[in-house]
Amino acid sequence: MINQRHRGLTEQAADAAVDTACRVLRLPTLRAQYSAIAAGAERDQMTYRGFLAELLMAECEERNRRRSERRIHAAGFPRQKWVKDFDFGANPHVEPPVVQALATCDWIRKGHPLCLIGDSGTGKSHLLIALGAEAAMAGFRVRYVLAAKLVNELVEAADDKQLNKTIARYGRVDLLCIDELGYMELDRRGAELLFQVLTEREEKNSVAIASNESFSGWTKTFTDPRLCAAIVDRLTFNGTIIETGTDSYRLARTRSHQAATANG
């Protein structure tokens, strides 16, 4: 049983003092959970040190959670996706051990790239967002962007003489996730600007891309063969390549649902 040291404070006065101190010190979680943790500590006959540890751990855990939420929000993901929700059974092309290894974020610490290649509906964007979210949760600065949007932003920045500033901003994040690369043809200027971003990040910070085109088809996106080869080199050197296949499990799931509804 925890015995309160006598300092002339009643229980009510002590609670009020804790509440005031938490406000001044900006400890909102400790303030919110103090009474419940104190009651639990008394019930479990914790030592003073154990009680203090419980309070501080609760505050730290909540701050970590809020920081993770802020990093995920700052990444600009269009929707929430998590590795644990990926249906490996529906896509046998994707090996769970490979994805689980990527979820440890060791490749980001090393500045290595990741390429997710496959047709629409095969899970590449899910994995791109989910692995980006894992990185944000682990404390890395992450930015998600559609390839077309990134190129348009770079072109506008170049026209406004803000290109170096924009490239530097994209160069600072620990992981840059570029989605839908290959959905549209890029003119030489757009491709060169994208190449500058990749060069800025080369072997320093990671890039992860999702594309519906195999590398052999990238000449339709990057029409200059030499520039195309250089971009592929930047995105594959020391990297991981996951081919998600050509069979859309989203389409298969839709058809299965429709068949079940019709038979029902």
Side-chain angles (χ1 to χ4, degrees):
M1 181 76 68
I2 293 178
N3 296 314
Q4 184 183 20
R5 291 182 178 177
H6 178 69
R7 290 186 175 179
L9 288 178
T10 64
E11 291 282 346
Q12 185 176 8
D15 288 344
V18 170
D19 187 84
T20 299
C22 287
R23 289 176 182 270
V24 171
L25 296 173
R26 297 181 181 178
L27 301 171
T29 303
L30 196 153
R31 177 171 172 258
Q33 298 187 20
Y34 165 72
S35 295
I37 293 176
E42 187 172 9
R43 182 183 63 251
D44 298 337
Q45 298 185 355
M46 283 186 186
T47 63
Y48 290 113
R49 287 186 178 88
F51 175 44
L52 177 60
E54 285 286 327
L55 289 173
L56 297 178
M57 286 170 60
E59 185 69 41
C60 289
E61 288 171 1
E62 180 61 17
R63 289 191 180 193
N64 285 337
R65 186 189 67 79
R66 291 199 299 267
R67 278 195 292 267
S68 294
E69 286 184 348
R70 287 195 295 269
R71 285 192 296 267
I72 288 176
H73 178 74
F77 298 121
R79 52 198 172 276
Q80 285 191 351
K81 295 290 183 180
W82 305 101
V83 170
K84 64 182 178 64
D85 297 325
F86 187 80
D87 190 350
F88 291 100
N91 192 336
H93 296 282
V94 180
E95 299 179 6
V98 174
V99 175
Q100 295 301 331
L102 290 169
T104 67
C105 301
D106 189 50
W107 59 289
I108 301 172
R109 295 182 186 92
K110 296 176 180 177
H112 291 172
L114 168 66
C115 295
L116 299 156
I117 311 294
D119 282 1
S120 296
T122 57
K124 60 186 183 300
S125 289
H126 182 139
L127 289 174
L128 182 70
I129 295 170
L131 291 170
E134 291 288 345
M137 293 286 287
F140 294 101
R141 294 167 298 175
V142 181
R143 185 78 175 91
Y144 170 96
V145 65
L146 297 177
K149 182 178 180 182
L150 173 58
V151 170
N152 288 338
E153 184 178 347
L154 293 170
V155 170
E156 290 176 5
D159 291 340
D160 295 337
K161 302 188 186 309
Q162 297 291 317
L163 181 61
N164 289 339
K165 182 178 179 181
T166 302
I167 289 177
R169 186 174 74 251
Y170 278 107
R172 282 193 296 268
V173 297
D174 300 305
L175 173 62
L176 177 60
C177 299
I178 305 176
D179 205 354
E180 297 187 1
L181 186 64
Y183 278 80
M184 61 176 291
E185 179 182 320
L186 300 178
D187 61 21
R188 183 175 179 83
R189 186 188 185 202
E192 288 177 344
L193 292 173
L194 178 58
F195 180 70
Q196 287 186 49
V197 171
L198 300 179
T199 300
E200 175 72 15
R201 302 182 58 80
E202 185 181 14
E203 296 188 50
K204 295 185 297 184
N205 295 318
S206 293
V207 175
I209 65 99
S211 176
N212 65 320
E213 282 284 356
S214 61
F215 294 123
S216 61
W218 278 25
T219 51
K220 291 184 287 186
T221 300
F222 308 103
T223 53
D224 184 312
R226 294 180 64 183
L227 184 57
C228 179
I231 289 175
V232 170
D233 180 69
R234 294 289 190 279
L235 290 173
T236 57
F237 182 67
N238 283 330
T240 300
I241 301 171
I242 296 179
E243 296 183 357
T244 58
T246 58
D247 298 325
S248 171
Y249 65 75
R250 278 206 307 258
L251 179 58
R253 184 179 298 171
T254 300
R255 286 174 174 169
S256 177
H257 176 73
Q258 289 175 342
T261 302
N263 294 330

